[in-house]
Amino acid sequence: MRFWLGGYTADMDGVASGIGMLHAGAPDDGSAGGPLSFAGEVARADSPSWVAAHPMRDVVYAALEARGAVQAFRRTGEASFVPLGEAVPAGEATCHVAVAPDGGSLIASCWGDGRVVRMSLDAAGRPSSPVIAAAAVDPHGPDGDAAGAGSADLDLAAAARALRDAAGPEYAHLVPDHDAAAADGDAEAAASARPSRAHQATFLPGGLIVTTDLGHDLVRFWRAGPAGLRPGQQVALPKGSGPRHVVVHPSGHLYVVTEFSCEVFALAASADGTWRVVGGTALGAGGVLPGDSAAELAASRDGEFLYAGVRGSNTLATVRVRGAGETLSPVALVDAGVDWPRHHVVVRDTLLVAGQRSDEVASLTLDLRTGVPGRVRHRTPAPSPTCLLPAS
C-alpha cells in the first residue's frame, strides 16, 4: 500500500521537505503488513502537518501549519503533485483539514487562534472564499455556562460586594476584597490563560459537523449554511481535559480523545438529536505518566477497539468498546516503538505509527483476539512525520 506523509519542515524545526510517500509492502497490496520504505517527496510544501484527500478528485489538501494556510495539490503522476491554485489563509497554526463527503467544501482548524474556517471547493477541487465560523466561548470561564474557575471568581466578587453593602461602612473593611481582584483584570487574565485552540473537524452523517476545541474543552456541533457554518449544540468536557480528535463509531457514538487528561469520552445523541457524554475512561488502567499527552485516536476494523497514541511515554493505548458503544474500558498500554507517536492508522491487522521525533514510521501487528498491538514488525526512516493518509 501507499500512503501520503505529512511532516514538519525547517520552519517548524523539522527535516521534511514537503509531502512524502510511504510504501507498506507492495504498492498494490491490500494490506499494510509488509516491509516499509520511504519513497521520497511527492510535493514540496512548508510544514504540511495534516493532509486530506478530495473524495472524487486526484487532489490532496495540506494544512501548512507555520503559514496558517491551506494548500491544494493536484496529482500529476504516480508520485508527483503540483499546487492547485494559491495557498488560502485560514488562521494561526492551521493544524487540520477535513473535506466534505460531497467534495464541495472543506473545514480548516487552527490551533493558534482557535479559528474554524470553511472554504468552498470548485469543480476542480480548488479552495477559495474562507469564512470564519463563530468563535468559541470558554464554558469554564466568565462568559461560559459551565462551572469553573472564572465563574467562581465572579461569584466571589458578587458575594464580596453584597457582604460589604450588608456590613455597612463600619465593618465593610473586614470583607475580603475579591471584587477588587476581579476589577483589576483577573477575569481577563484567566481568559488569556485558556485561549481557544481548534484542533479537528469531522463530517457526520446527516450533514452534521463536529469540531473540537482543545483550549476551551469543547466539542461543538454545526451545520453548513449559505454563509458558512451555523453553530448548534456544544458539549463541555471537564476543565483542562483538552479534546483533540474524534472517531465516529458504527454504533453512532463519537469517541473523543483528550490531549491533556489522556482519556477517551463517549458521546451519544438522544432521540431529539441532543448530544451528551455517556461514558469514558482513562487510557491506561494504571494511569499515564506526568507530562504525557495524547495524540491520535483510531478504531479497529470491527470497531471493537480504539487505539490512542500517547506522546512522552511513547505508548499506544488499547481501549475496548462494550455494550451498545457507551462503555469503554482500558485494555493495555504498549510501547509504540517510536519517539513521539504523533499519528497512526489502522489497516486490517496492522497499525502504522508516525514517530515525529525519531524520524520514522513503524508497523505493529494487531492481535485480532485481544486487540493489543505487538512489537514493531517493520520500520523505515521518514522525515519528521506528522500524518499518514492512505493513497487512493
Side-chain angles (χ1 to χ4, degrees):
M1 290 187 68
R2 290 175 302 205
F3 296 81
W4 310 129
L5 286 182
Y8 280 146
T9 57
D11 60 354
M12 295 200 67
D13 300 322
V15 296
S17 59
I19 301 173
M21 184 166 69
L22 174 78
H23 285 163
D28 57 352
D29 279 353
S31 171
L36 304 177
S37 63
F38 178 68
E41 174 194 293
V42 297
R44 185 166 292 273
D46 298 326
S47 287
S49 62
W50 188 269
V51 287
H54 192 285
M56 292 162 280
R57 307 287 183 206
D58 267 346
V59 176
V60 297
Y61 303 90
L64 307 182
E65 190 165 337
R67 291 178 57 184
V70 174
Q71 176 68 65
F73 293 89
R74 177 175 59 87
R75 189 171 179 179
T76 57
E78 195 68 19
S80 61
F81 288 82
V82 295
L84 179 62
E86 299 295 324
V88 181
E92 185 180 345
T94 305
C95 62
H96 187 271
V97 177
V99 185
D102 65 1
S105 63
L106 65 78
I107 298 174
S109 300
C110 305
W111 181 89
D113 54 19
R115 286 183 177 181
V116 176
V117 182
R118 183 176 184 266
M119 300 182 187
S120 298
L121 300 178
D122 66 15
R126 184 184 294 105
S128 65
S129 308
V131 178
I132 303 170
V137 175
D138 189 352
H140 302 283
D143 299 321
D145 299 322
S151 57
D153 289 343
L154 293 183
D155 290 342
L156 287 173
R161 288 191 293 269
L163 286 172
R164 192 172 292 110
D165 290 342
E170 185 177 358
Y171 299 104
H173 68 284
L174 299 177
V175 178
D177 57 351
H178 294 302
D179 53 337
D184 287 340
D186 278 7
E188 292 183 10
S192 64
R194 282 178 53 83
S196 172
R197 298 203 183 280
H199 213 285
Q200 189 204 39
T202 303
F203 288 85
L204 304 180
L208 201 61
I209 300 158
V210 60
T211 64
T212 56
D213 194 302
L214 187 148
H216 283 172
D217 304 307
L218 275 176
V219 179
R220 307 171 76 191
F221 294 88
W222 314 77
R223 288 196 181 274
L229 295 178
R230 292 186 287 107
Q233 185 197 355
Q234 64 182 32
V235 176
L237 296 189
K239 185 177 181 181
S241 55
R244 181 180 170 96
H245 281 190
V246 170
V247 162
V248 184
H249 194 260
S251 65
H253 289 77
L254 301 181
Y255 301 122
V256 185
V257 66
T258 55
E259 178 169 334
F260 301 136
S261 64
C262 293
E263 298 172 275
V264 178
F265 288 90
L267 276 63
S270 59
D272 64 358
T274 302
W275 290 85
R276 61 190 177 91
V277 176
V278 295
T281 183
L283 293 180
V288 292
L289 298 176
D292 275 352
S293 61
E296 180 63 306
L297 185 69
S300 62
R301 189 180 182 184
D302 59 6
E304 186 177 355
F305 299 98
L306 302 173
Y307 302 99
V310 182
R311 298 165 295 182
S313 60
N314 296 331
T315 53
L316 293 167
T318 303
V319 173
R320 185 186 294 272
V321 179
R322 296 184 182 276
E326 76 285 354
T327 303
L328 303 174
S329 57
V331 175
L333 272 172
V334 301
D335 189 345
V338 298
D339 186 6
W340 213 249
R342 171 65 176 264
H343 189 246
H344 59 269
V345 295
V346 176
V347 183
R348 296 188 179 180
D349 64 345
T350 301
L351 188 67
L352 294 176
V353 189
Q356 178 188 325
R357 294 184 177 174
S358 54
D359 296 317
E360 63 184 335
V361 175
S363 65
L364 297 80
T365 301
L366 297 173
D367 185 318
L368 296 182
R369 182 181 61 85
T370 66
V372 178
R375 294 181 179 179
V376 171
R377 183 175 181 184
H378 301 287
R379 66 173 73 242
T380 185
S384 307
T386 57
C387 178
L388 290 150
L389 174 67
S392 56

